[in-house]
Amino acid sequence: MSTLVRKHILKIDPYEAGKPIEEVKRQLGLKEVIKLASNENSLGVSPKAIAAMKKALPQVNRYPDSSGFYLKRKLAKSLGVAPANIVLGNGSDELIDIIIKTFVEEDEHILTADHTFLEYKIIGSVKGRTVTTVPLKYFKYDLVSLKKKIERNTKLIFIANPNNPTGTYVTKYELEDFLKDLPQGVILVLDEAYDAFIDVDDFPNSLSLIRNKNVIILKTFSKAYGLAGIRLGYAVTKPELAAYMEISRQPFNVNLLAQAAGMAAIEDKAFLQKTRRMVLEGKKYLYDNLKRLGLAYVPSAANFILIDVGKDGVELFREMLKFGVIIRNMRQYGLKNYIRVTIGTKRENERFIKVLKKAL
Ligand SMILES: *Cc1c(COP(=O)(O)O)cnc(C)c1O
């Protein structure tokens, strides 16, 4: 059958998602399984978002609002931008796809880092674009090297900030330098999926860049907002770029329940605060215990931690699975002796440490 498929598709290592809880229960006959593999929100869903979705349920015989009018208006207000600055997506994954098909010609290149969010490379490759990567430096995006790699046909640069899977972040000073003489014909995408967990002072205020630079910011409801299953993300950029993205997206890419959930989630400040508190406290607990175990980790600005386990991470992943703890092995990221764990509830973090000890 491989003769039927476009040749570049054959070369792609497809995205390996975090293992679902139900699948592990079924396959291993386990009753109590926890998942700390996909940087989801262990607190659950905002009660306000649940109520809004319930209320919207009887309307799903109708198509969703193609323009996402009310959600955009609410988002714009909360960000201090105009609705015309916003493009909605079926998760920010879809926006990565929309950005590439809107802006990158077949012979133009995409630039990003090694050991970053896999979807930049996978979606770019599926679309037949060349994706060039630059090594991280001390687990961080190296913006100096990244800039040196820009060539005549470089069109798009992806920076995940904070980065997944390392949790490191690019500071406002580094970003300012990087933007200084960035060629006019290059678009920079700042993927800020984890910005809600930031507790440092030197994180860039990316929204201030969209007026004068060709910058597209990506945000998602999948992580801090606890809505990964409903698929909702958005891009913020100058109206001209947003308008081109609007042309290339599918008309009903954001479903009716997602629009309702998103509007309610923005309002639920208490849920976001509670989530932040859980993550910051959990991070401290995990750091302390990893130190106690003599394990090195990368300090994280996000809701997950990259840990050097000193042995094959896939093996450790399988071992922990037997005890009902799903974490992420870093095989596909090319970080062999590492695992990535999402910071969960207090109980989940305790169970993770207990099982990690056993598995080591
Ligand atoms: C999780 C993640 C996303 C995916 O977000 P969705 O909105 O669920 O598609 C995007 N970028 C990064 C860096 C992520 O870690």
Side-chain angles (χ1 to χ4, degrees):
M1 297 305 265
S2 63
T3 51
L4 295 177
V5 74
R6 296 177 68 194
K7 288 192 186 53
H8 65 273
I9 300 290
L10 294 168
K11 293 187 213 136
I12 292 164
D13 182 11
Y15 186 77
E16 241 175 67
K19 252 187 180 316
I21 291 177
E22 285 312 315
E23 183 181 311
V24 175
K25 283 186 179 168
R26 190 173 70 234
Q27 289 176 346
L28 297 177
L30 294 171
K31 281 218 171 64
E32 292 225 0
V33 174
I34 62 168
K35 182 181 176 202
L36 300 172
S38 301
N39 308 335
E40 296 146 339
N41 188 338
S42 280
L43 278 185
V45 185
S46 144
K48 290 195 170 145
I50 292 182
M53 285 188 276
K54 277 189 180 155
K55 196 166 161 227
L57 261 179
Q59 298 155 39
V60 296
N61 60 317
R62 300 292 175 195
Y63 282 100
D65 173 10
S66 169
S67 70
F69 179 85
Y70 293 105
L71 175 55
K72 272 191 190 173
R73 191 170 70 175
K74 190 157 264 187
L75 276 171
K77 191 153 175 258
S78 84
L79 298 167
V81 299
N85 290 110
I86 297 174
V87 183
L88 302 175
N90 188 2
S92 40
D93 280 358
E94 193 206 12
L95 290 158
I96 295 168
D97 189 284
I98 291 172
I99 290 168
I100 294 171
K101 65 186 178 195
T102 306
F103 298 111
V104 188
E105 294 281 10
E106 310 237 325
D107 59 352
E108 290 178 325
H109 293 191
I110 297 165
L111 183 59
T112 188
D114 289 345
H115 313 311
T116 188
F117 191 49
L118 292 166
E119 288 289 50
Y120 311 142
K121 179 137 201 193
I122 295 174
I123 297 173
S125 307
V126 167
K127 298 204 139 21
R129 305 304 195 272
T130 302
V131 184
T132 310
T133 61
V134 174
L136 296 180
K137 197 169 173 183
Y138 307 117
F139 295 99
K140 249 184 84 163
Y141 266 78
D142 176 0
L143 296 194
V144 176
S145 301
L146 201 64
K147 201 171 198 172
K148 284 190 190 138
K149 268 276 182 184
I150 297 173
E151 291 170 354
R152 190 185 37 80
N153 53 3
T154 302
K155 184 56 163 292
L156 199 60
I157 300 174
F158 282 104
I159 296 180
N161 202 29
N163 186 32
N164 175 9
T166 61
T168 52
Y169 69 98
V170 163
T171 68
K172 61 180 170 191
Y173 310 107
E174 289 164 336
L175 189 62
E176 259 168 38
D177 264 354
F178 183 75
L179 284 166
K180 238 169 230 162
D181 29 57
L182 194 68
Q184 286 287 320
V186 174
I187 298 172
L188 173 64
V189 179
L190 294 170
D191 183 348
E192 299 186 343
Y194 302 97
D195 65 337
F197 303 111
I198 290 293
D199 68 334
V200 293
D201 297 326
D202 56 354
F203 191 75
N205 172 11
S206 54
L207 285 175
S208 69
L209 302 170
I210 61 170
R211 185 190 289 273
N212 296 315
K213 304 279 179 188
N214 292 328
V215 168
I216 303 174
I217 302 158
L218 294 183
K219 310 257 195 190
T220 180
F221 282 85
S222 298
K223 309 287 159 60
Y225 285 96
L227 290 170
I230 204 81
R231 315 301 303 126
L232 180 61
Y234 59 97
V236 192
T237 185
K238 58 178 77 165
E240 295 85 344
L241 297 184
Y244 293 126
M245 289 169 65
E246 289 287 343
I247 296 171
S248 4
R249 74 171 171 86
Q250 307 248 351
F252 305 111
N253 60 335
V254 177
N255 73 70
L256 192 143
L257 298 178
Q259 293 189 30
M263 287 210 283
I266 300 167
E267 301 271 289
D268 199 344
K269 299 270 184 340
F271 181 77
L272 201 62
Q273 268 316 98
K274 213 167 133 192
T275 300
R276 254 179 78 85
R277 211 175 313 127
M278 174 188 77
V279 167
L280 296 178
E281 284 171 14
K283 198 181 288 181
K284 192 173 172 312
Y285 168 83
L286 290 171
Y287 284 173
D288 288 346
N289 281 276
L290 292 170
K291 274 182 208 146
R292 217 164 281 155
L293 289 170
L295 294 178
Y297 58 85
V298 182
S300 172
N303 68 337
F304 56 82
I305 306 173
L306 184 70
I307 305 167
D308 181 351
V309 288
K311 62 182 255 187
D312 183 19
V314 175
E315 222 172 88
L316 186 76
F317 160 78
R318 290 206 191 105
E319 201 56 36
M320 293 188 74
L321 215 52
K322 288 186 203 153
F323 296 104
V325 175
I326 314 172
I327 44 104
R328 197 64 161 265
N329 75 65
M330 293 283 105
R331 178 204 67 81
Q332 208 178 9
Y333 289 86
L335 294 162
K336 189 162 180 289
N337 288 356
Y338 289 81
I339 60 165
R340 191 194 67 199
V341 65
T342 304
I343 301 165
T345 61
K346 187 162 179 286
R347 280 192 58 188
E348 287 175 332
N349 298 335
E350 287 167 0
R351 177 140 171 233
F352 163 74
I353 290 291
K354 210 167 114 198
V355 167
L356 178 64
K357 268 187 209 161
K358 269 196 234 175
L360 283 169

